[in-house]
């Protein structure tokens, strides 16, 4: 480590104490999306997860993933570049290629997908602490910029704490904790565990720069997370993908800012992608972003869904504009010409939920969170029902439980 390298707290101060963070997502947190997210309130962004060996050895992969505008001081900072890796030498080679265009380099220790299992990286390094330590230490000792890490949790909170300490002791300067197990992915995602994240925050050194990840649906969830966990910042992945307005914490009463109309946001994003024409990654990611931004809108406009599905990486911007962007603008404009649109275009807030927040009902022409259905039941209902059931069981257990006292850290029944 060079003597003038910033430590975590110094780096955090230098980049403006960011509290609203775009998560690293495979093929989804690319340049254009980062620019858009910053316009909607994000104060720090991570790149997509790059494969360190491919980035270091394949010029084609590097050109596809990275361009001159990535990390540009005027439009793309502060920026953390994330790599997945299982070889310290390749990781260092890859990181050296970007250290002059970013504020830190992050090691992905959280990817739970099958490809990560096959390649032995991401969350599938969680059992190999020696390798993780070597990967982090190699960057810590040889890069100009600091190294950071993003982890998932173990079922056991004590083991997770020891794991987090090992990551920090190896040289990580920021720690991001995704409060889900490795197995919680796709339809098994469920709620992130804020309690274990708070346990880590409370038991790690107080000067640790600590970010929380998970359960961010609306802007107020960011402040709720920071207040409950006492973290330095909050990272959002899926919440940000479906609605960049999730970061607009200073405009919580302005529906145009926090639930933007899909036509306006789509146009804004489309123009950004065109301005990043040297970014192959941004053009490739556009189709997926269109589907997510328009998710509530497409069931009412199936022809537009079919048009998006027909697009490829080689489709011209002109065709995208004619077959998708303008059509969306025309359809939403017609909605707003209806005489009763003022009564229809309202956001309603539901009852407080066991997880601490409340769901919103948002018109389909506005960006909003997505609740993945399983067997026809959406995730918001599954989570709420599960928490209510747990609360009922806990209450019933308390009624039946004998009076107890603690003996050597364990409960002992008092005999009467």
């Amino acid at each position: 480590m060079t003597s003038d390298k910033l430590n975590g707290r110094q780096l955090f101060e230098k980049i403006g104490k960011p509290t609203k963070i775009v998560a690293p997502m495979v093929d989804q947190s690319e340049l254009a999306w980062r620019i858009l997210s910053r316009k909607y309130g994000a104060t720090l962004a991570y790149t997509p997860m790059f494969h360190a060996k491919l980035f270091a050895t394949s010029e084609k992969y590097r050109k596809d993933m990275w361009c001159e505008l990535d990390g540009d001081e005027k439009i793309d900072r502060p920026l953390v570049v994330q790599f997945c890796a299982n070889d310290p030498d390749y990781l260092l080679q890859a990181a050296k290629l970007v250290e002059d265009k970013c504020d830190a380099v992050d090691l992905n220790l959280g990817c739970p997908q099958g490809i990560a299992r096959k390649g032995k990286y991401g969350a599938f390094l969680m059992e190999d602490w020696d390798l993780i330590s070597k990967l982090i230490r190699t960057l810590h000792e040889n890069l100009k910029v600091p190294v950071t890490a993003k982890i998932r949790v173990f079922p056991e909170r004590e083991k997770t704490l020891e794991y987090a300490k090992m990551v920090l002791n190896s040289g990580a300067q920021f720690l991001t904790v995704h409060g889900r197990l490795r197995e919680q992915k796709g339809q098994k995602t469920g709620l992130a565990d804020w309690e274990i994240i708070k346990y880590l925050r409370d038991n790690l050194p107080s000067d640790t720069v600590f970010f929380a990840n998970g359960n961010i649906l609306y802007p107020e969830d960011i402040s709720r997370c920071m207040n409950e966990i006492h973290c330095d910042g909050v990272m959002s992945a899926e919440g940000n993908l479906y609605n960049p307005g999730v970061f607009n914490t200073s405009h919580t009463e302005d529906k145009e800012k926090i639930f933007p109309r899909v036509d306006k946001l789509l146009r804004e994003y489309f123009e950004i992608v065109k301005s990043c024409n040297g970014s192959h990654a941004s053009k490739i990611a556009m189709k997926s972003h269109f589907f997510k931004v328009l998710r509530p809108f497409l069931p009412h406009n199936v022809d537009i869904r079919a048009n998006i599905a027909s697009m490829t990486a080689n489709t011209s911007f002109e065709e995208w504009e004619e077959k998708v962007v303008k059509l969306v603008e025309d359809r939403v404009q017609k909605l707003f010409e209806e005489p009763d649109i003022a009564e229809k275009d309202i956001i309603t807030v539901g009852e407080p939920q066991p997880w601490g927040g409340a769901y919103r009902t948002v018109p389909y022409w506005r960006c909003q969170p997505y609740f993945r259905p399983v067997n026809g039941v959406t995730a918001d209902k599954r989570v709420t029902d599960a928490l209510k059931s747990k609360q009922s069981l806990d209450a019933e257990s308390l009624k039946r439980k004998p009076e107890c006292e603690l003996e050597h850290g364990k409960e002992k029944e008092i005999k009467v």
Side-chain angles (χ1 to χ4, degrees):
M1 177 180 173
T2 58
S3 59
D4 58 346
K5 183 186 290 189
L6 300 177
N7 65 29
R9 191 55 59 181
Q10 290 170 333
L11 173 62
F12 186 65
E13 298 274 345
K14 180 188 175 186
I15 62 177
K17 301 180 182 178
T19 58
K20 297 171 289 187
I21 305 159
V22 178
M25 297 168 283
V26 178
D27 300 330
Q28 297 286 274
S29 55
E30 80 300 327
L31 177 63
W33 193 258
R34 297 195 300 268
I35 294 172
L36 178 74
S37 297
R38 287 187 177 99
K39 288 188 173 185
Y40 278 83
T43 48
L44 172 62
Y46 283 57
T47 67
M49 179 187 75
F50 298 145
H51 190 289
K53 183 176 180 180
L54 288 175
F55 200 93
T57 61
S58 169
E59 185 177 359
K60 181 182 184 306
Y61 178 85
R62 201 160 54 245
K63 285 184 176 180
D64 285 347
M65 297 294 108
W66 189 260
C67 74
E68 282 298 314
L69 291 175
D70 283 283
D72 183 90
E73 289 281 355
K74 294 179 180 178
I75 63 171
D76 193 31
R77 299 292 278 273
L79 179 70
V80 177
V81 178
Q82 188 190 71
F83 291 102
C84 65
N86 56 26
D87 182 297
D89 293 332
Y90 282 127
L91 176 59
L92 181 60
Q93 288 178 44
K96 281 286 185 183
L97 294 170
V98 299
E99 66 177 344
D100 292 324
K101 296 290 293 288
C102 65
D103 298 283
V105 170
D106 187 79
L107 177 63
N108 180 303
L109 296 171
C111 181
Q113 303 305 322
I115 192 170
R117 180 196 294 275
K118 184 177 179 181
K120 197 190 175 187
Y121 58 77
F124 296 95
L125 294 181
M126 288 175 72
E127 284 74 35
D128 196 340
W129 292 19
D130 288 342
L131 176 56
I132 288 173
S133 181
K134 189 172 183 181
L135 290 165
I136 295 172
R137 195 170 298 281
T138 297
L139 295 187
H140 180 57
E141 294 176 351
N142 294 283
L143 281 187
K144 299 176 188 175
V145 296
V147 57
T148 67
K150 182 171 186 280
I151 67 171
R152 285 192 174 225
V153 299
F154 290 96
E156 307 85 10
R157 59 170 51 191
E158 295 81 6
K159 183 176 181 179
T160 306
L161 177 60
E162 292 307 308
Y163 178 52
K165 286 179 178 177
M166 177 274 295
V167 168
L168 292 172
N169 291 337
S170 299
Q173 300 301 309
F174 293 173
L175 182 69
T176 302
V177 180
H178 186 165
R180 291 185 173 94
L181 306 175
R182 182 170 60 196
E183 294 73 26
Q184 287 182 276
K185 60 184 178 180
Q187 294 192 347
K188 298 180 181 178
T189 298
L191 271 183
D193 186 348
W194 282 11
E195 290 184 7
I196 195 169
I197 301 177
K198 186 177 188 308
Y199 171 78
L200 297 179
R201 170 68 280 182
D202 290 346
N203 288 279
L204 290 172
S206 59
D207 63 343
T208 301
V209 177
F210 189 98
F211 299 149
N213 181 204
N215 300 355
I216 304 302
L217 298 176
Y218 309 109
E220 59 268 28
D221 292 331
I222 293 176
S223 57
R224 189 167 60 85
C225 183
M226 293 187 70
N227 290 335
E228 288 188 22
I229 295 174
H230 305 299
C231 51
D232 292 290
V234 177
M235 183 178 282
S236 175
E238 195 166 81
N240 162 251
L241 285 180
Y242 288 93
N243 180 18
V246 73
F247 289 128
N248 252 321
T249 55
S250 58
H251 299 89
T252 54
E253 301 302 318
D254 186 348
K255 66 184 176 186
E256 304 300 335
K257 299 289 188 181
I258 61 173
F259 300 108
R261 282 169 42 173
V262 294
D263 58 328
K264 293 186 175 181
L265 186 126
L266 199 69
R267 169 61 71 180
E268 191 171 13
Y269 166 63
F270 182 62
E271 295 301 326
I272 292 171
V273 175
K274 289 197 295 182
S275 73
C276 299
N277 206 11
S279 173
H280 183 71
S282 293
K283 181 73 182 293
I284 292 296
M286 186 167 66
K287 181 174 181 175
S288 179
H289 284 305
F290 270 48
F291 270 124
K292 288 181 173 63
V293 167
L294 295 173
R295 185 207 58 80
F297 187 76
L298 293 178
H300 302 268
N301 295 272
V302 293
D303 58 325
I304 298 178
R305 174 192 281 159
N307 287 352
I308 299 174
S310 70
M311 302 297 190
T312 70
N314 296 320
T315 301
S316 68
F317 285 123
E318 290 77 16
E319 190 170 352
W320 272 105
E321 176 138 18
E322 289 301 319
K323 290 188 175 181
V324 182
V325 180
K326 284 187 176 179
L327 275 182
V328 172
E329 289 176 328
D330 290 345
R331 302 281 171 85
V332 177
Q333 182 58 40
K334 286 180 180 178
L335 287 169
F336 275 80
E337 290 171 358
E338 294 178 3
D340 60 345
I341 187 62
E343 289 78 30
K344 292 179 178 178
D345 191 38
I346 58 173
I347 314 294
T348 58
V349 182
E351 295 295 320
Q353 298 296 317
W355 47 265
Y359 296 117
R360 270 65 172 159
T361 300
V362 183
Y364 71 83
W365 49 85
R366 293 189 178 275
C367 296
Q368 54 193 273
Y370 171 52
F371 304 107
R372 186 180 288 108
V374 178
N375 297 325
V377 182
T378 57
D380 53 334
K381 189 174 189 308
R382 295 199 315 274
V383 167
T384 300
D385 289 349
L387 286 171
K388 286 180 178 177
S389 177
K390 180 178 183 299
Q391 288 178 343
S392 297
L393 287 172
D394 289 346
E396 187 64 26
S397 176
L398 286 173
K399 288 179 185 177
R400 297 178 180 176
K401 194 171 186 180
E403 293 183 63
C404 295
E405 64 179 5
L406 287 177
E407 182 183 63
H408 304 301
K410 297 182 179 178
E411 287 185 343
K412 174 188 175 185
E413 182 177 335
I414 301 174
K415 300 198 180 293
V416 292

